[in-house]
Amino acid sequence: MSSTGDAGAGRGQGTVVLVGAGLGGSLMAILLGRAGYTVRGFELRPDPRAGPPVGGRSINLALSARGLHALERVGLAPDVLAMAVPMRGRMIHAQDGRTAFQPYGTTAEQVNNSVSRGDLNVILLNAAERLPAVRFTFDHKCQGVDLDSGEVTVLDTRTGDSRGLTGDVVIGADGAFSVVRRQLFKRERFDYQQSFLSHGYKELTIPPAPGGGFALEANALHIWPRGGFMMIALPNRDGSFTCTLFLPFEGDHSFAALATEAKVERFFERVFPDATRLMPDLAAQYVTNPTGSMVTIRCSPWRHRGRIGLLGDACHAVVPFHGQGANAAFEDCLVLDDCIRRHAPDWETVFALFEGLRKENTDALADLSIANFEEMKHHTGSRLFRTKKALEKWLHRLFPTRFVPLYMMVSFTLIPYAEARRRARRQARALLSAGALAVILALLLVFWISRG
Ligand SMILES: Cc1cc2nc3c(=O)[nH]c(=O)nc-3n(C[C@H](O)[C@H](O)[C@H](O)COP(=O)(O)OP(=O)(O)OC[C@H]3O[C@@H](n4cnc5c(N)ncnc54)[C@H](O)[C@@H]3O)c2cc1C
């Protein structure tokens, strides 16, 4: 193993070793490069620009206000929006084939954008490597980080050679199963909580309509809520939809129960008949595509001295039901960038402040994301849910600044997640009190009228 001492190289502000060139890592590289740092990035996967996409997590994802705000800071929002399909609301598919559209917001700007994860990553990587001091090396796996020296050991997965690298600081943006985070386990008083959902997910594709174009409404996130499970679909630019089936791993309606192609076809024809007609190769896709698990990760501290810090899923993976994981990782990058600009080279303060500003919010997002799973699979199809959403929007139109529905705060504003949750609770309490008051007044009125 050779050792490459990179410290101090670059333009006088030092070198950052960045582990992971996913969404958070590549945006952070741009921000660091622009702030004058030399960035040495290492990514386990092959360069996505060099070949066909490598299988991984979700083919497309929903990008909302927070993600776009971060992309605006680095001038990439127009490029990303140019390849996005705006989703104006949810299209709910009942089992009998009826559909109902529920707009997300009250204005035309309040949309979620369906973007290709791979294309988004490529836009970010290209922008990062246009900066002279930013370089990524692909097919390199981080194997560990020495907590004392900060030396990162990377393995070239093509040759099997490993080497050690040092920089002034190491940032772990290596996702939910972060190797950098695993090193922090070695220190005392590192809190860690990991919890897997009992549901898994599988991606399936609805191809473009036979004559081209979309086989379903293009500008919507489609949901087939079925109580204990559900399927969703996000549009792609080529007219296809990427569906994600969420099923329990075990039990009656589960991945374990769908053990043969015949069972898969029967199940889909019964519970998602309209979508099944649009997927001629459903059973083949089902068998071929992997089943993924979903995890919530909370940990603390996100840092070690002023040498190692984490961002994105590496320190706060959330389940995908609010469509906020990548948005939150991008928001992390902006907050960390602000902390760096204010306090570097005092990296201890940088990382401590960053965690102080983010932890409460990402913990709130983790809870909100789990709660939204219940809402999506159980309630989106119900009359009560539709009435509640209509009432929320009516109140929002009456009091646009005082009453903002939780979903809107999370998706279409930059209100910190924890504050959004507090405000939503206050609003719910106020609504409940107003409702109770209305009932009391109505009863008093009835009493008064009945007495003649
Ligand atoms: C099914 C599903 C749907 C989702 N939908 C949405 C959505 O609609 N909207 C949204 O905002 N978010 C969504 N998310 C969440 C989103 O994908 C993540 O929150 C986001 O990708 C986090 O970015 P990150 O950079 O922290 O991690 P990642 O994007 O996972 O990047 C981590 C990178 O590190 C690399 N890496 C890992 N280990 C090593 C190692 N040892 N050495 C070197 N490199 C390494 C990985 O290869 C990867 O490229 C979804 C997630 C899932 C699973």
Side-chain angles (χ1 to χ4, degrees):
M1 187 166 92
S2 63
S3 187
T4 319
D6 270 346
R11 289 175 287 150
Q13 295 210 34
T15 296
V16 176
V17 178
L18 189 57
V19 183
L23 299 180
S26 49
L27 177 61
M28 199 61 226
I30 299 173
L31 293 165
L32 288 164
R34 285 160 66 118
Y37 291 91
T38 296
V39 179
R40 294 285 166 255
F42 292 91
E43 167 58 46
L44 171 64
R45 295 179 187 214
D47 188 337
R49 297 161 297 185
V54 183
R57 289 151 29 118
S58 73
I59 289 162
N60 53 18
L61 50 80
L63 199 64
S64 50
R66 296 166 205 269
L68 285 175
H69 175 64
L71 293 169
E72 267 156 22
R73 176 151 339 159
V74 292
L76 294 177
D79 295 9
V80 174
L81 284 176
M83 58 134 194
V85 184
M87 300 182 291
R88 302 189 200 295
R90 311 174 183 89
M91 183 69 81
I92 307 300
H93 295 249
Q95 201 154 335
D96 63 8
R98 274 179 304 155
T99 54
F101 182 70
Q102 301 170 357
Y104 282 127
T106 52
T107 66
E109 294 75 46
Q110 289 173 330
V111 299
N112 285 315
N113 295 285
S114 174
V115 298
S116 148
R117 174 191 289 272
D119 292 349
L120 175 60
N121 209 173
V122 165
I123 288 176
L124 290 164
L125 287 171
N126 284 338
E129 290 201 325
R130 275 198 293 274
L131 296 163
V134 177
R135 283 292 160 267
F136 279 107
T137 309
F138 294 87
D139 300 294
H140 274 63
K141 180 182 182 174
C142 168
Q143 293 182 301
V145 186
D146 186 288
L147 289 184
D148 294 323
S149 67
E151 184 178 74
V152 180
T153 308
V154 287
L155 170 78
D156 182 335
T157 54
R158 290 160 312 180
T159 63
D161 292 341
S162 65
R163 61 190 161 124
L165 289 129
T166 50
D168 296 279
V169 63
V170 179
I171 295 181
D174 51 342
F177 302 101
S178 168
V179 167
V180 178
R181 181 186 68 226
R182 208 182 302 149
Q183 307 307 303
L184 303 187
F185 270 88
K186 294 176 186 161
R187 49 173 290 177
E188 274 184 34
R189 295 192 292 124
F190 180 73
D191 288 333
Y192 181 73
Q193 197 189 2
Q194 155 182 305
S195 101
F196 281 92
L197 278 193
S198 54
H199 286 64
Y201 72 94
K202 188 185 284 284
E203 293 195 328
L204 303 163
T205 304
I206 292 179
F214 292 92
L216 296 168
E217 163 60 44
N219 297 117
L221 186 150
H222 294 262
I223 309 180
W224 288 260
R226 296 293 181 263
F229 60 93
M230 69 169 178
M231 185 165 77
I232 65 168
L234 274 72
N236 297 310
R237 295 257 313 164
D238 65 358
S240 66
F241 284 85
T242 304
C243 304
T244 312
L245 170 68
F246 297 98
L247 273 186
F249 281 106
E250 308 288 339
D252 285 344
H253 301 307
S254 69
F255 285 113
L258 299 183
T260 63
E261 291 194 7
K263 282 186 178 170
V264 171
E265 274 165 3
R266 273 204 302 278
F267 175 74
F268 268 74
E269 270 157 22
R270 190 162 53 81
V271 296
F272 309 123
D274 53 345
T276 306
R277 284 193 283 279
L278 303 175
M279 289 190 271
D281 58 345
L282 164 70
Q285 284 194 53
Y286 185 95
V287 173
T288 313
N289 295 354
T291 306
S293 56
M294 290 170 286
V295 68
T296 301
I297 286 168
R298 301 172 208 249
C299 65
S300 179
W302 296 354
R303 59 191 196 276
H304 177 67
R305 301 200 184 114
R307 282 211 152 273
I308 302 170
L310 302 174
L311 72 80
D313 277 13
C315 44
H316 54 70
V318 298
V319 294
F321 303 105
H322 241 300
Q324 285 294 312
N327 287 281
F330 283 171
E331 205 172 44
D332 277 0
C333 295
L334 290 198
V335 175
L336 184 55
D337 184 48
D338 289 340
C339 296
I340 291 170
R341 285 174 188 270
R342 278 163 58 195
H343 295 287
D346 177 1
W347 287 94
E348 187 137 10
T349 302
V350 168
F351 288 141
L353 189 61
F354 170 63
E355 184 173 346
L357 290 168
R358 292 300 285 161
K359 174 90 172 111
E360 181 196 21
N361 290 307
T362 55
D363 280 350
L365 176 61
D367 296 337
L368 292 172
S369 301
I370 292 169
N372 218 41
F373 185 33
E374 288 306 306
E375 180 158 302
M376 285 175 87
K377 71 181 164 52
H378 279 292
H379 306 310
T380 45
S382 77
R383 197 182 297 266
L384 184 66
F385 179 82
R386 284 199 298 276
T387 312
K388 187 175 153 231
K389 290 286 155 187
L391 177 67
E392 283 181 356
K393 281 195 192 125
W394 179 72
L395 285 168
H396 179 58
R397 283 201 184 92
L398 275 183
F399 311 106
T401 51
R402 301 202 60 161
F403 187 95
V404 187
L406 176 62
Y407 187 87
M408 284 192 203
M409 285 193 274
V410 169
S411 300
F412 307 134
T413 76
L414 305 179
I415 297 171
Y417 295 118
E419 175 57 19
R421 182 167 64 171
R422 277 194 292 273
R423 267 187 76 170
R425 284 176 178 160
R426 280 201 302 274
Q427 291 174 175
R429 276 198 300 273
L431 216 55
L432 217 58
S433 310
L437 193 66
V439 171
I440 292 169
L441 288 176
L443 288 174
L444 283 176
L445 193 66
V446 170
F447 179 68
W448 183 70
I449 292 170
S450 66
R451 290 196 54 184

